[in-house]
């Protein structure tokens, strides 16, 4: 009869636990290494680095004629000057057209009617034509700065705009008030501003400043030029007085606006114009770049960036002309200013192309970083309209994709909100596609760049936390659903998920999106022979099912899940058979061979099957599936662990998990002897991981009497005894389990004395007992079965072994001594649990038997491994 403690040993709980979303404790980590049903690990699919920076790599599914070009030229002529006109931002009201009949034909102020005029003097016509020709010649030679400066609010008068007038202590040149000293310098620097159509009156500097005594109010020192005068309140006033106040306020606002414009004109002429002239005259590239930097700072200081500035056209024309210089450094500085001026349309596209062209060379990454071009590009994505500028966004994102592959940009991109900006755009694309019911033009090209950028960014822990915080994973799944026909987009997102699901919190987030399993199955069915996509999808499924029992159940319940995996298994098994010549006996093998493409899919697929088999509702069904088991055995038979190490180990681990289930229609149980034959070549290999997996399968199969006979006939038991010297806890644990199953049969107990089996078991107890009570318990159970018919301890175990057992068991049963290890509290609780429930009952019985020499109990039940 069994004692109550022995009966407890019969009730073994399943060796799997549903994974929780919290971080694993040290006890759980130790426990997982000992479970009979185990998940399988594998490496993430290898992604080769592209040799060239292009919008679409060599593996793209897009043909050259169906994708935007990565090579092109950008010149000054590529830009449109019409975009240079500033945007007023003011809505104009329609004019009331009230024609008036002229009082007399001689009325010259009438602007509604035109009357014939007398012929112009031919000499005057010749003067005007020659002046106009000179103007065109200057423009054609590249003098883009205007010779005249007009105020938008200045009233039209007959007098020439270029005349120099004196007023108190200032001089007015082209409508700009300058002090005497500044005006002299201004005239020396910019003689073109004194030219005008008509008769030229020679005016000396002394005549200009003669009698100048005062400065206008808005230019006086000590005043705040930027402040506006407050408007007077119109409350508690009569209607007539209010109308007068409104007129006065409007007049004051107009005067104030004119004052601000005049201040801008002063800043333009005194700070910006000299820099522009330097840009046109300077020939040294380094000096031109320095001048561009100076120009950007000056524009920023004068609040002249953006698209509202009146002189924007002059500025942009000068910058466009410098694009033809062909310097990458200069082009980046020009592009930064042009983007800051908020160009649109074709000009925005061309400046994004210009930056893209420069970014294609990795040596320019340092230039891009030093000039903070990334910030300008992100601002384009943040502020410009996506639908109106899809092509510009494409090349803007292409540049960001290139530099995101450089680790030096990673921190900067995280700090500037690149992840949030990209996900905002992706969400916008999803919403637009949902509204229109179809994918927008070029949206697929843009998504390829955005998802490729995210693929590079998710290597950062900060990027992963941001993606989780903004619930980005469902949005990415939606992109795959809407663009399932775009292999490039789906492959990039699969790469993102393959990186993210290597982390438990990301696995939980993706698994919570219930439609992800159906999505992944659709991808496998659609792209079954596209290895680069399929291998990543299967890798993701392996990650999802590795830590979450609920995920295993949800996936298995999806329609067609197991048939899809079977079809994929069959497809790539055949592809692998015909993939080419394997390494022969005379071939020199490399030290580390990367798996072939078809083989890599099989590695990831067998891992999914091994993980699914952990679920008690799925494992028995797979074990009874003849086609799946047949492919597993065919793989194990045809592959060598020396050539295909990971595939053979994963296949063996899958068979081990399936052999756990003793169901009636199990194919594993039906073909157990054939499996045992296949495992022999693993046992004699030099691969310890392969040996461990084979021993684990023998641990489950050896609960069958036929397998025990096979083990003895093939001398496998000698190999198990030899493994007790491996000094590897897991190998000793699995080998001891096989020996325990053998000792259930009374006829096979004496085999423990072969090869010093008893002594090696005692050594395992001594070496691993204090740190591994499960292994210590297994050793005690094996010795308990062996000593069932004991009459004398010394004759049964040997004098040395018996004395050592008495000392070890007495020591280990002392709780204070046994649990006095340097473990953290959680691990200490774990050890205490196994010491109390597994080791102490059987160790106490064994100790009593050895002491008394006459205790006879039934053999202990067979555990599962």
């Amino acid at each position: 009869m069994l004692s109550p403690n022995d009966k407890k040993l019969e009730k073994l709980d399943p060796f799997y636990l549903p994974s929780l979303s919290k971080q694993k404790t040290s006890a759980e980590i130790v426990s997982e290494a000992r479970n009979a049903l185990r998940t399988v690990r594998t490496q993430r699919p290898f992604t080769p680095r592209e040799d060239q920076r292009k919008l679409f790599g060599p593996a793209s599914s897009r043909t050259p004629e169906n994708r935007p070009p990565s090579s092109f030229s950008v010149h000054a002529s590529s830009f449109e000057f019409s975009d240079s006109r500033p945007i007023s931002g003011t809505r104009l009201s329609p004019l009331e057209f009230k024609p008036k009949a002229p009082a007399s034909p001689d009325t010259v102020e009438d602007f509604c009617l035109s009357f014939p005029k007398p012929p112009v003097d031919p000499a005057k016509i010749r003067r005007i034509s020659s002046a106009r020709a000179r103007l065109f010649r200057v423009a054609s030679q590249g003098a883009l700065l205007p010779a005249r400066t007009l105020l938008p609010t200045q009233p039209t008068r007959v007098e020439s705009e270029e005349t120099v007038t004196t007023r108190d202590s200032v001089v007015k040149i082209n409508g700009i008030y300058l002090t005497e000293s500044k005006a002299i310098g201004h005239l020396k620097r910019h003689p073109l501003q004194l030219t005008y159509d008509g008769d030229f009156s020679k005016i000396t500097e002394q005549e200009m400043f003669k009698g100048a005594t005062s400065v206008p109010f808005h230019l006086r020192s000590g005043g705040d030029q930027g402040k506006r005068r407050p408007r007077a309140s119109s409350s508690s006033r009569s209607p007539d007085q209010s109308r007068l106040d409104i007129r006065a306020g409007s007049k004051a606002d107009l005067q104030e606006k004119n004052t601000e414009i005049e201040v801008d004109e002063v800043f333009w002429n005194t700070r910006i114009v000299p820099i522009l002239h330097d840009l046109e005259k300077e020939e040294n590239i380094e000096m031109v770049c320095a001048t561009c930097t100076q120009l950007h700072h000056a524009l920023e200081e004068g609040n002249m960036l953006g698209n509202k500035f009146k002189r924007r056209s002059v500025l942009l024309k000068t910058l466009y002309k410098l694009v033809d210089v062909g310097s990458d450094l200069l082009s980046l500085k020009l592009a930064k200013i042009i983007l800051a001026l908020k160009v649109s349309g074709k000009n925005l596209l061309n400046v994004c192309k210009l930056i893209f062209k420069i970014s294609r060379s990795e040596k320019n990454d340092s230039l891009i970083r030093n000039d903070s071009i990334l910030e300008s590009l992100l601002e384009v994505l943040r502020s410009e309209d996506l639908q109106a500028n899809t092509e510009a966004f494409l090349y803007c994102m292409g540049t960001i994709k290139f530099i995101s592959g450089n680790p030096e940009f990673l921190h900067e991109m995280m700090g500037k909100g690149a992840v949030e900006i990209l996900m905002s755009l992706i969400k916008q694309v999803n919403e637009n596609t949902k509204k229109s019911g179809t994918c927008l033009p070029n949206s697929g090209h843009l998504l390829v760049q955005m998802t490729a950028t995210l693929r590079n960014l998710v290597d950062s822990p900060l990027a992963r936390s941001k993606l989780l915080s903004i619930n980005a994973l469902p949005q990415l799944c939606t992109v795959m659903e809407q663009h399932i026909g775009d292999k490039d987009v789906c492959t990039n997102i699969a790469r993102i998920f393959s990186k993210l699901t290597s982390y438990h919190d990301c696995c939980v987030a993706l698994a919570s999106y219930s439609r992800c399993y159906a999505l992944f199955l659709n991808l496998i069915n659609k792209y079954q022979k596209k290895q680069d996509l399929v291998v990543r999808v299967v890798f993701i499924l392996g990650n999802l099912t590795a830590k979450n029992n609920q995920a295993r159940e949800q996936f298995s319940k999806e329609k067609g899940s197991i048939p899809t995996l079977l079809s994929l298994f069959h497809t790539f098994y055949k592809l692998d058979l015909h993939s080419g010549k394997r390494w022969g006996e005379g071939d020199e093998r490399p030290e580390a061979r990367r798996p072939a493409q078809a083989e890599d899919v099989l590695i990831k697929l067998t891992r999914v099957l091994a993980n699914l088999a952990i679920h008690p509702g799925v494992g028995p069904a797979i074990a009874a599936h003849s086609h799946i088991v047949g492919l597993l055995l065919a793989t194990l038979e045809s592959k060598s662990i020396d050539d295909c190490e990971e595939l053979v180990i994963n296949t063996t681990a899958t068979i081990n998990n399936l052999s756990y289930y003793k169901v009636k229609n199990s194919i594993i149980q039906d073909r157990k002897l054939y499996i045992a034959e296949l495992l022999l070549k693993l046992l004699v290999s030099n691969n310890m991981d392969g040996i461990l997996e084979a021993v684990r399968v023998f641990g489950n199969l050896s609960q069958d009497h036929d397998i025990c006979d096979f083990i003895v006939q093939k001398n496998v038991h000698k190999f198990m005894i030899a493994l007790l010297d491996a000094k590897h806890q897991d190998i000793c644990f699995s080998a001891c389990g096989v020996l325990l199953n053998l000792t259930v049969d009374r006829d096979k107990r004496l085999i423990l004395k072969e090869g010093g089996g008893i002594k090696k078991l005692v050594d395992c107890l001594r070496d691993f007992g204090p740190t591994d009570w499960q292994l210590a318990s297994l050793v005690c159970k094996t010795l308990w079965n062996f000593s069932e018919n004991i009459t004398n301890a010394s004759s049964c175990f040997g004098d040395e072994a018996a004395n050592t057992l008495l000392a070890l068991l007495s020591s280990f049963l002392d709780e204070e001594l046994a649990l006095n290890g340097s473990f953290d509290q959680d691990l200490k609780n774990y050890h205490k649990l196994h010491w109390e429930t597994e080791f102490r009952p059987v160790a106490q019985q064994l100790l009593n038997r050895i002491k008394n020499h006459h205790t006879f109990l039934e053999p202990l039940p067979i555990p599962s491994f």
Side-chain angles (χ1 to χ4, degrees), residues 220-284:
R220 291 174 187 168
S221 60
D224 188 355
Q225 300 176 3
K227 290 185 178 179
R228 297 176 180 263
R229 292 186 296 275
R231 299 184 182 183
S233 174
S234 60
S235 59
S236 305
R237 294 173 182 268
S238 63
D240 293 338
Q241 189 172 1
S242 297
R243 281 194 293 272
L244 291 174
D245 290 342
I246 291 172
R247 291 193 191 120
S250 300
K251 186 175 181 181
D253 290 344
L254 183 60
Q255 183 178 356
E256 187 174 322
K257 184 177 180 180
N258 292 340
T259 301
E260 291 177 357
I261 293 175
E262 290 175 349
V263 170
D264 288 343
E265 294 288 351
V266 172
F267 190 88
W268 168 263
N269 284 288
T270 58
R271 294 289 304 279
I272 306 301
V273 171
I275 299 176
L276 295 182
H277 277 291
D278 290 342
L279 282 177
E280 289 189 329
K281 294 184 294 183
E282 186 61 59
E283 295 183 357
N284 183 280

Side-chain angles (χ1 to χ4, degrees), residues 263-454:
V263 170
D264 288 343
E265 294 288 351
V266 172
F267 190 88
W268 168 263
N269 284 288
T270 58
R271 294 289 304 279
I272 306 301
V273 171
I275 299 176
L276 295 182
H277 277 291
D278 290 342
L279 282 177
E280 289 189 329
K281 294 184 294 183
E282 186 61 59
E283 295 183 357
N284 183 280
I285 295 297
E286 293 183 0
M287 292 301 298
V288 174
C289 292
T291 306
C292 283
T293 303
Q294 182 185 359
L295 174 62
H296 197 172
H297 292 162
L299 291 171
E300 191 173 14
E301 179 185 348
N303 196 26
M304 293 181 175
L305 297 176
N307 57 6
K308 302 291 193 296
F309 179 51
K310 300 297 181 182
R311 298 287 185 178
R312 181 169 170 265
S313 60
V314 177
L315 187 57
L316 285 172
K317 289 177 182 178
T318 304
L319 298 176
Y320 293 158
K321 188 183 79 168
L322 292 174
V323 170
D324 285 339
V325 173
S327 165
D328 289 344
L329 176 60
L330 176 59
S331 295
L332 286 176
K333 292 186 177 293
L334 294 173
K336 186 176 180 180
I337 301 175
I338 293 171
L339 287 177
L341 291 172
K342 300 294 182 182
V343 294
S344 60
K346 184 177 179 181
N347 289 342
L348 177 60
L349 170 60
N350 282 321
V351 72
C352 289
K353 280 186 170 183
L354 180 63
I355 300 174
F356 173 86
K357 182 180 177 183
I358 297 170
S359 67
R360 288 193 63 191
S361 175
E362 290 188 39
K363 66 180 182 180
N364 290 329
D365 284 359
S366 58
L367 302 180
I368 294 174
R369 188 180 185 189
N370 294 338
D371 268 326
S372 300
I373 298 297
L374 174 62
E375 186 174 358
S376 301
L377 296 175
L378 292 176
E379 180 59 27
V380 170
L381 301 180
R382 186 188 295 111
S383 60
E384 298 295 337
D385 181 65
L386 171 60
Q387 289 183 275
N389 301 285
T390 306
E391 192 175 359
F393 274 45
L394 174 68
Y395 288 101
C396 178
M397 274 307 314
T399 300
I400 296 175
K401 177 187 73 173
F402 293 156
I403 62 177
S404 67
N406 187 335
E408 295 181 359
F409 283 90
L410 202 57
H411 181 72
E412 181 183 1
M413 296 185 78
M414 291 297 99
K416 295 187 183 301
V419 171
E420 293 88 342
I421 293 173
L422 292 180
M423 287 311 306
S424 176
L425 288 175
I426 288 175
K427 185 177 181 181
Q428 189 176 341
V429 171
N430 288 342
E431 292 173 351
N432 292 338
T433 303
K434 184 178 180 181
K435 288 179 183 178
S436 62
T438 182
C439 300
L440 300 177
N442 294 324
S443 62
H445 299 328
L446 180 59
L447 283 169
V448 171
Q449 311 308 313
M450 290 192 289
T451 52
T453 305
L454 281 174

